[in-house]
Amino acid sequence: MPDTRKYVITFGCPDRTGIVARISSFLAELGGWITDSAYHTDPDTGWFFTRQVVTAESIPLEIDELRARFAGIARSLGAEANWKIFDSAERRRVVILVSKEGHCLYDLLGRVASGELDVDVPAVIGNHDNLADITRAHGIPFHHVPFGKDPEEKAEAFAQVAKLVAEHDPHAVVLARFMQILPPELCEAWAGRAINIHHSFLPSFVGARPYHQAAARGVKLVGATCHYVTADLDAGPIIEQDVLRVDHTDSVDDMVRKGRDVEKVTLSRGLRWHLEGRVLVHGNRTMVF
Amino acid sequence: MPDTRKYVITFGCPDRTGIVARISSFLAELGGWITDSAYHTDPDTGWFFTRQVVTAESIPLEIDELRARFAGIARSLGAEANWKIFDSAERRRVVILVSKEGHCLYDLLGRVASGELDVDVPAVIGNHDNLADITRAHGIPFHHVPFGKDPEEKAEAFAQVAKLVAEHDPHAVVLARFMQILPPELCEAWAGRAINIHHSFLPSFVGARPYHQAAARGVKLVGATCHYVTADLDAGPIIEQDVLRVDHTDSVDDMVRKGRDVEKVTLSRGLRWHLEGRVLVHGNRTMVF
Amino acid sequence: MPDTRKYVITFGCPDRTGIVARISSFLAELGGWITDSAYHTDPDTGWFFTRQVVTAESIPLEIDELRARFAGIARSLGAEANWKIFDSAERRRVVILVSKEGHCLYDLLGRVASGELDVDVPAVIGNHDNLADITRAHGIPFHHVPFGKDPEEKAEAFAQVAKLVAEHDPHAVVLARFMQILPPELCEAWAGRAINIHHSFLPSFVGARPYHQAAARGVKLVGATCHYVTADLDAGPIIEQDVLRVDHTDSVDDMVRKGRDVEKVTLSRGLRWHLEGRVLVHGNRTMVF
Amino acid sequence: MPDTRKYVITFGCPDRTGIVARISSFLAELGGWITDSAYHTDPDTGWFFTRQVVTAESIPLEIDELRARFAGIARSLGAEANWKIFDSAERRRVVILVSKEGHCLYDLLGRVASGELDVDVPAVIGNHDNLADITRAHGIPFHHVPFGKDPEEKAEAFAQVAKLVAEHDPHAVVLARFMQILPPELCEAWAGRAINIHHSFLPSFVGARPYHQAAARGVKLVGATCHYVTADLDAGPIIEQDVLRVDHTDSVDDMVRKGRDVEKVTLSRGLRWHLEGRVLVHGNRTMVF
């Protein structure tokens, strides 16, 4: 997270000559000091994307006024709703969903506690309660929402989770090894904000027990994938992936253990990029600026 | 390849107490100087595997006599045919099959020319002839066997390839981006010797145009897999895998280009291990000792 | 840490024919069930090393009796004091030293809490107290030992640390970004047990502020090194190293932040291997079996 | 290398507001179609850098006229001589210097032969002649320039090399494991064009026999560094680095062998980026756009 207050602009429109000039001239005329900028044109679809970061103090406008003026540029370039401006001074809120396995949660809590991940975590929600104590030791409320086995109980549990999440209107809902498949209506409600860590190098080993699948196939690397959640299981846009080497001496349990380090690091990288507005989604692919 | 002459023993049998003692005592009684040894027990199947390397000069027996005596040990431990002893002084022969793409061939020829890969390559066989000149410049015969499109022409071409390969009885048949699917009878004839490089991180992106598949899925790493060829396409035992990072700025062509470096390095590692007798196959998995 | 009770033997002696046979026959005669074994001969020094793991229940002796009998073998092979047998059922004790930066401590505490690192942590000692609360939330005593600036205060502080550590006679003293240079007498007292994480890819960037040094030199990868502490600063035997990619867009602060993930993962791997008796030291180098 | 003809602009100047707007407006007014662009501000020195790629056909000017007009912009922004525009249609010329070890040369020749590296290699110069035949088999002239041991012979040899290189006025002089230290006058003459591959992860193991140094230190990773040659041995701006894992079973010879794969891949990446105008040097550091 940046120390100096910044405005972060993300933008996409059909490609044509002069887009960069339009946007940079708009910012230059305001006196905007660009500290970071990235551009990409997707040759398959002919779309152009950019992310611009300007120091807030260099812009003599309130953010709403900036948005209003930029809307004109965006409209004239055909960007429609494909743009956003956010203020780095607005604290990001992250709600974390967990099940029994704590490695991703421990990791995130450590990053928050040390200030490395400078966000608010107003709630951790677990379908088990074994991670309640450590969460509360960090001064964060833990909500235990048990998930029954039959569909009705599950639906009720999800309704409760949905309500808890909605109360905080978070910038990210992190499924930190949550192990429950989100119902379509939650995928919809949290679209572009729900981030999952899948414990395989997708698209290999979709679904349950990926390390068991990996061991059975005899692969020499296992991995983890941080992706946005969509209604298609483990098929949402990939934000980040990483792998580590395994060999024949590694049992499934060894893979599970070693894999945790890749999972937690991959998740935290993906989450950070999401919160910094670095991840733009186009179709089922992401650009990470 | 070792400089000093060595005998390399590979062995597998059902696990029980005392196997290491039996084998190491057998070698110690002969005065065998072990320079490398590795063991593995597969907990799922209860099998034990080992690879032992002894200096030839420390063993006062011809290799056939050594094999004859070791056969007794092997039988008593229930190893049946699951063992082998080879002499590092017997030069390894490698036949290479190629299509149009030369990066793996160039790489292998360079390794052979520099002595890094200390093998004989008695033949390179290509279904195109664009790699003939460079092969011959290395003093290696190149055989052009065109593959027609209809099944009969293909069958005939494969018969010709089979004949050419059989003439050299190679220790390895390397499919260096050969791009043709081997018929079942060749998979059978070359079982345990046919080594393929697949240009994806299997089991992701089986079959044709894996980089196109990878780009469409938006993965953040692409890879290559060196594996033994079996009748199941791209599903044989994996010897080695590696990956490299890509991002949204990489077009399919960029992935193809970058991927070549992973392909050639992964193939050459797998081939070396195979030729050194380091790769033991158990079911559909390998141990690399 | 193994679930089944095991005896772990580590052993080194001058190389000669028949060592493996001697040791494996000794174990086989006792009925010892070997579950893991590794061997290495150092060609430079002509020394032989091995690590053997047997299930405790397969050995019909108490561990002291096993040690007494094995001592005869060891003596006859010239191993002198270069061997050890430990019982995996004896819980490992780890004392952790910290300063202000918490990422390695958070990571270790998370691993302990989740049972992944199945050890006792009887004490965390810090020269600052900002990590006291989280340590105590894990049910672990935290000792704040302030280090003054002048030599006498430091010496006194170290004496206090030495005393606290000695009370627990730990299997490992982990310098989890402790940032203080151990006096020679503590290097001596904790020899082979004091494990440091240095935030660079040694031998590059010894000493203070390695990320600043890395940025100044314009390297494209930064790393971390887990090593045994010796009286030579940052020059002890290396247990594990890893790196991550940086580029010109990374400020020193970014490197510091990104580097933390490599540091904590590298430290935890090295510590695990040390506690499992996998790390044998020979001169200034390690073998990790 | 791009297929479509492009103009590549690289530019650096003291940072201030509006630079991007100035440059992009200049290009937009010409109708320039930007296909790739990157920006970076160095916070330590307050300099701004950019690389812009436009399709040649979108610019209705000859390149000299484009340069003349851009010079005005550059001057007004204080860029002085810190900018360049080159035409991707002008074929790049690369002269390669070698000694005995061929792995980097084999690799580069293979890339050139396959069209992956779309450059002219008008000369390979070696102080040994063992790589002459393979070079000539690729249709490339090989010049054998023996280097004596005494200073005068060396000076004369370098003078001959300088002359041969000067004849081709190459865009890059590649020291592909050349193993001779360039005299200061050649460092000067080839400044910004002489690219070396050093067989260690610099700044570790400067100078001779880095793998021996690495083995003696007991590191767990070895690497390679592609850098611009300067008068300070192995201290020039780093373009690219990579590493691979080694362990106690790897002899120095194994490290040398394994390291070759990292060397050749790292060199070829650095060379490609240099030829594409992606590498901007600022002080002793590079930006790779």
Side-chain angles (χ1 to χ4, degrees):
Chain A
M1 304 293 105
D3 301 320
T4 321
R5 189 176 166 200
K6 308 273 176 64
Y7 295 143
V8 179
I9 303 169
T10 57
F11 176 90
C13 71
D15 197 18
R16 48 180 265 193
T17 304
I19 305 173
V20 178
R22 284 291 297 282
I23 295 175
S24 57
S25 298
F26 168 80
L27 292 172
E29 278 156 28
L30 291 170
W33 188 281
I34 298 172
T35 61
D36 203 355
S37 65
Y39 304 87
H40 180 63
T41 301
D42 185 297
D44 296 339
T45 59
W47 270 63
F48 167 93
F49 299 92
T50 188
R51 175 178 181 268
Q52 303 281 330
V53 183
V54 292
T55 58
E57 62 170 19
S58 71
I59 300 278
L61 304 175
E62 292 303 305
I63 193 165
D64 286 337
E65 177 65 16
L66 177 65
R67 281 182 188 129
R69 294 211 199 167
F70 189 78
I73 304 277
R75 206 175 310 118
S76 72
L77 291 167
E80 311 291 332
N82 291 293
W83 65 274
K84 238 183 270 187
I85 302 180
F86 74 85
D87 182 346
S88 75
E90 189 201 347
R91 279 186 73 73
R92 313 265 107 189
R93 292 176 305 280
V94 176
V95 170
I96 304 174
L97 310 189
V98 296
S99 182
K100 266 187 194 167
E101 287 231 48
H103 56 284
C104 288
L105 179 65
Y106 285 116
D107 189 65
L108 291 172
L109 295 179
R111 291 175 199 270
V112 172
S114 68
E116 175 192 315
L117 190 62
D118 189 20
V119 303
D120 290 329
V121 180
V124 172
I125 304 169
N127 62 341
H128 293 269
D129 65 357
N130 59 307
L131 297 168
D133 287 353
I134 188 65
T135 302
R136 288 171 187 148
H138 280 270
I140 294 170
F142 183 93
H143 305 272
H144 180 206
V145 179
F147 274 60
K149 291 249 161 174
D150 70 77
E152 273 175 44
E153 285 171 309
K154 280 214 173 183
E156 203 169 316
F158 270 121
Q160 201 180 335
V161 169
K163 192 159 161 286
L164 282 165
V165 169
E167 280 167 20
H168 302 291
D169 187 24
H171 299 88
V173 182
V174 177
L175 284 67
R177 297 295 310 274
F178 179 51
M179 311 303 284
Q180 297 286 335
I181 298 171
L182 291 194
E185 61 273 18
L186 279 189
C187 295
E188 181 64 31
W190 301 342
R193 296 185 292 159
I195 294 175
N196 185 45
I197 181 73
H198 184 76
H199 39 320
S200 87
F201 182 69
L202 289 174
S204 291
F205 313 133
V206 169
R209 295 163 66 91
Y211 292 118
H212 288 78
Q213 297 181 51
R217 181 61 188 93
V219 293
K220 300 300 185 186
L221 297 163
V222 294
T225 303
C226 177
H227 65 97
Y228 287 113
V229 178
T230 61
D232 279 345
L233 182 65
D234 299 334
I238 293 171
I239 304 171
E240 172 64 337
Q241 300 189 289
D242 214 337
V243 292
L244 63 78
R245 189 159 276 269
V246 291
D247 64 29
H248 63 271
T249 64
D250 290 301
S251 65
V252 171
D253 285 349
D254 292 329
M255 289 186 189
V256 168
R257 174 174 53 74
K258 291 181 171 182
R260 282 185 203 124
D261 282 349
V262 180
E263 293 168 33
K264 70 192 190 191
V265 167
T266 302
L267 173 60
S268 77
R269 278 205 294 259
L271 175 59
R272 164 178 290 274
W273 295 338
H274 168 78
L275 293 172
E276 292 181 349
R278 295 186 179 279
V279 188
L280 277 71
V281 177
H282 185 51
N284 202 39
R285 292 186 284 178
T286 64
M287 290 151 279
V288 180
F289 282 134
Chain B
M1 303 294 103
D3 301 320
T4 321
R5 189 176 166 198
K6 307 272 176 66
Y7 295 142
V8 178
I9 304 168
T10 57
F11 176 91
C13 72
D15 196 18
R16 48 180 267 192
T17 305
I19 305 173
V20 178
R22 282 293 296 282
I23 295 175
S24 58
S25 297
F26 169 79
L27 291 172
E29 278 155 28
L30 291 170
W33 187 280
I34 298 171
T35 61
D36 204 354
S37 65
Y39 304 87
H40 180 62
T41 300
D42 186 297
D44 296 338
T45 60
W47 270 63
F48 167 94
F49 299 91
T50 187
R51 176 179 181 267
Q52 302 282 330
V53 182
V54 292
T55 59
E57 62 171 21
S58 71
I59 300 279
L61 302 175
E62 292 304 304
I63 193 167
D64 285 339
E65 177 65 16
L66 177 64
R67 283 182 186 130
R69 294 212 198 167
F70 189 78
I73 304 277
R75 207 175 309 119
S76 73
L77 291 168
E80 311 292 330
N82 291 294
W83 64 276
K84 239 183 270 189
I85 303 180
F86 75 86
D87 181 347
S88 75
E90 189 200 349
R91 279 184 73 71
R92 315 264 106 189
R93 292 177 303 282
V94 176
V95 170
I96 304 174
L97 309 190
V98 296
S99 183
K100 266 188 194 164
E101 286 231 49
H103 56 284
C104 287
L105 179 66
Y106 285 116
D107 189 65
L108 291 171
L109 294 179
R111 290 175 200 269
V112 172
S114 68
E116 176 192 313
L117 191 62
D118 190 20
V119 302
D120 290 329
V121 180
V124 172
I125 303 169
N127 63 340
H128 292 269
D129 66 357
N130 59 307
L131 298 169
D133 287 353
I134 188 65
T135 302
R136 288 172 188 147
H138 280 271
I140 293 171
F142 183 93
H143 305 272
H144 180 207
V145 179
F147 273 61
K149 289 249 160 173
D150 71 75
E152 273 175 43
E153 285 172 310
K154 279 214 173 181
E156 204 170 315
F158 269 121
Q160 202 179 334
V161 169
K163 192 159 162 288
L164 281 164
V165 169
E167 279 168 21
H168 301 291
D169 187 25
H171 298 88
V173 182
V174 176
L175 284 67
R177 297 295 311 272
F178 180 51
M179 310 303 284
Q180 296 285 335
I181 298 171
L182 292 194
E185 60 274 17
L186 278 189
C187 295
E188 180 64 32
W190 301 343
R193 294 186 292 159
I195 293 175
N196 186 47
I197 181 72
H198 183 78
H199 41 320
S200 87
F201 182 68
L202 289 174
S204 291
F205 314 133
V206 168
R209 295 164 65 90
Y211 292 117
H212 288 77
Q213 297 181 52
R217 181 62 188 90
V219 292
K220 299 300 185 186
L221 298 163
V222 294
T225 303
C226 177
H227 65 96
Y228 288 113
V229 177
T230 61
D232 279 345
L233 182 65
D234 299 333
I238 293 170
I239 305 172
E240 172 64 338
Q241 300 188 290
D242 215 338
V243 291
L244 63 77
R245 189 159 277 268
V246 291
D247 64 29
H248 63 272
T249 65
D250 290 299
S251 65
V252 171
D253 285 350
D254 292 328
M255 289 187 188
V256 167
R257 173 174 54 74
K258 292 181 171 181
R260 282 186 202 123
D261 282 348
V262 180
E263 293 168 32
K264 70 192 192 192
V265 167
T266 302
L267 173 59
S268 77
R269 277 204 296 258
L271 175 59
R272 164 178 291 275
W273 294 339
H274 169 78
L275 294 172
E276 293 182 349
R278 295 186 180 280
V279 188
L280 277 72
V281 177
H282 185 52
N284 202 39
R285 291 186 284 178
T286 65
M287 291 152 277
V288 179
F289 282 133
Chain C
M1 304 293 104
D3 301 321
T4 321
R5 190 177 166 198
K6 307 274 176 65
Y7 295 142
V8 178
I9 304 168
T10 58
F11 176 91
C13 72
D15 197 18
R16 49 180 266 193
T17 305
I19 304 174
V20 178
R22 282 293 297 282
I23 295 175
S24 58
S25 297
F26 169 80
L27 292 173
E29 278 156 27
L30 290 171
W33 188 281
I34 299 171
T35 61
D36 203 354
S37 66
Y39 305 87
H40 180 62
T41 301
D42 186 298
D44 295 339
T45 59
W47 269 63
F48 167 94
F49 299 91
T50 187
R51 176 177 181 268
Q52 303 281 330
V53 183
V54 291
T55 58
E57 63 170 18
S58 70
I59 300 278
L61 304 174
E62 292 304 304
I63 193 166
D64 287 337
E65 177 65 16
L66 176 64
R67 282 183 186 127
R69 294 211 198 169
F70 189 78
I73 304 277
R75 207 176 307 119
S76 72
L77 292 167
E80 311 293 330
N82 291 293
W83 64 275
K84 237 183 270 185
I85 301 180
F86 74 86
D87 182 345
S88 75
E90 189 200 347
R91 277 185 74 73
R92 314 263 105 190
R93 292 177 303 282
V94 176
V95 170
I96 304 174
L97 310 189
V98 296
S99 182
K100 265 187 194 166
E101 286 232 48
H103 56 284
C104 287
L105 179 67
Y106 285 116
D107 189 65
L108 292 171
L109 294 179
R111 290 174 201 271
V112 172
S114 68
E116 176 193 315
L117 191 62
D118 189 19
V119 302
D120 290 330
V121 180
V124 171
I125 304 169
N127 63 341
H128 293 269
D129 65 358
N130 60 307
L131 298 169
D133 287 353
I134 188 65
T135 302
R136 289 172 187 147
H138 280 270
I140 294 171
F142 182 93
H143 305 271
H144 180 207
V145 179
F147 273 60
K149 289 248 161 175
D150 71 75
E152 272 176 44
E153 284 171 310
K154 279 214 174 182
E156 203 170 316
F158 269 122
Q160 201 180 335
V161 170
K163 192 159 161 287
L164 281 165
V165 169
E167 278 167 21
H168 301 292
D169 187 25
H171 299 89
V173 182
V174 177
L175 284 67
R177 298 296 309 275
F178 179 52
M179 309 305 284
Q180 297 286 334
I181 297 170
L182 292 194
E185 60 274 17
L186 278 189
C187 294
E188 180 65 31
W190 301 343
R193 295 185 293 160
I195 293 175
N196 186 45
I197 181 73
H198 184 77
H199 40 321
S200 87
F201 182 68
L202 290 174
S204 291
F205 313 133
V206 168
R209 294 163 64 91
Y211 293 118
H212 288 77
Q213 296 182 53
R217 180 61 188 91
V219 293
K220 300 300 184 186
L221 297 164
V222 294
T225 303
C226 178
H227 64 96
Y228 288 112
V229 178
T230 61
D232 279 346
L233 182 65
D234 299 334
I238 293 171
I239 304 171
E240 172 64 337
Q241 300 187 291
D242 215 336
V243 291
L244 63 79
R245 188 159 278 269
V246 292
D247 65 28
H248 63 272
T249 64
D250 290 300
S251 65
V252 171
D253 285 350
D254 292 328
M255 289 187 189
V256 168
R257 174 174 53 74
K258 291 181 172 182
R260 281 185 203 124
D261 282 348
V262 180
E263 293 167 33
K264 70 191 190 192
V265 167
T266 302
L267 172 59
S268 78
R269 277 205 296 259
L271 175 60
R272 164 178 289 274
W273 295 339
H274 168 78
L275 294 172
E276 292 181 350
R278 295 185 180 280
V279 188
L280 278 71
V281 177
H282 185 50
N284 202 38
R285 291 187 284 178
T286 64
M287 291 152 277
V288 179
F289 282 133
Chain D
M1 302 295 104
D3 300 321
T4 321
R5 190 176 167 200
K6 307 274 176 65
Y7 295 142
V8 179
I9 304 167
T10 57
F11 175 91
C13 72
D15 196 19
R16 48 180 265 193
T17 303
I19 304 173
V20 177
R22 283 293 296 281
I23 295 175
S24 56
S25 297
F26 168 80
L27 292 172
E29 279 156 28
L30 292 170
W33 187 280
I34 298 172
T35 61
D36 203 356
S37 66
Y39 304 86
H40 180 62
T41 301
D42 186 298
D44 295 339
T45 59
W47 270 64
F48 167 93
F49 299 91
T50 186
R51 176 178 181 267
Q52 303 281 331
V53 183
V54 292
T55 59
E57 62 170 20
S58 70
I59 300 279
L61 303 174
E62 292 304 303
I63 193 166
D64 286 337
E65 177 66 16
L66 177 64
R67 283 184 186 128
R69 294 211 197 168
F70 189 77
I73 304 277
R75 207 176 309 119
S76 72
L77 291 167
E80 310 292 331
N82 291 293
W83 64 275
K84 238 183 271 185
I85 301 180
F86 75 86
D87 182 344
S88 75
E90 190 201 347
R91 279 185 72 73
R92 313 265 107 190
R93 291 176 304 282
V94 177
V95 170
I96 304 175
L97 310 189
V98 297
S99 182
K100 266 187 195 164
E101 287 232 48
H103 56 283
C104 286
L105 179 66
Y106 286 116
D107 189 64
L108 291 172
L109 294 179
R111 290 176 200 269
V112 173
S114 68
E116 175 192 314
L117 191 62
D118 190 20
V119 302
D120 290 329
V121 181
V124 172
I125 304 169
N127 62 341
H128 293 269
D129 65 359
N130 59 308
L131 297 169
D133 287 353
I134 188 65
T135 302
R136 289 172 188 147
H138 280 270
I140 294 171
F142 183 93
H143 305 272
H144 180 207
V145 179
F147 274 60
K149 289 249 161 174
D150 70 74
E152 274 176 43
E153 285 171 310
K154 279 214 174 183
E156 204 170 315
F158 268 121
Q160 201 179 334
V161 169
K163 193 159 160 288
L164 281 164
V165 169
E167 280 167 21
H168 302 290
D169 187 24
H171 298 88
V173 182
V174 176
L175 284 67
R177 297 295 309 274
F178 179 51
M179 310 304 284
Q180 297 286 335
I181 297 170
L182 292 194
E185 61 273 18
L186 279 188
C187 294
E188 180 65 32
W190 301 342
R193 294 186 293 160
I195 294 175
N196 185 47
I197 181 72
H198 184 76
H199 40 319
S200 87
F201 182 70
L202 290 173
S204 291
F205 313 134
V206 168
R209 295 163 66 90
Y211 292 118
H212 288 76
Q213 297 181 52
R217 180 61 188 93
V219 293
K220 300 301 184 186
L221 297 164
V222 294
T225 303
C226 178
H227 65 96
Y228 288 112
V229 177
T230 61
D232 278 346
L233 182 65
D234 300 333
I238 293 170
I239 305 171
E240 172 64 338
Q241 301 189 290
D242 214 337
V243 292
L244 64 77
R245 188 159 277 270
V246 291
D247 64 29
H248 63 273
T249 65
D250 289 300
S251 65
V252 171
D253 285 350
D254 291 329
M255 288 186 189
V256 168
R257 173 174 53 75
K258 291 181 171 181
R260 282 185 201 123
D261 282 349
V262 179
E263 293 168 32
K264 68 192 191 191
V265 167
T266 302
L267 173 59
S268 77
R269 277 204 297 258
L271 175 59
R272 163 178 291 274
W273 294 339
H274 169 77
L275 293 172
E276 293 180 351
R278 295 186 180 280
V279 188
L280 278 71
V281 178
H282 186 50
N284 202 38
R285 291 185 283 177
T286 64
M287 291 151 276
V288 180
F289 282 135

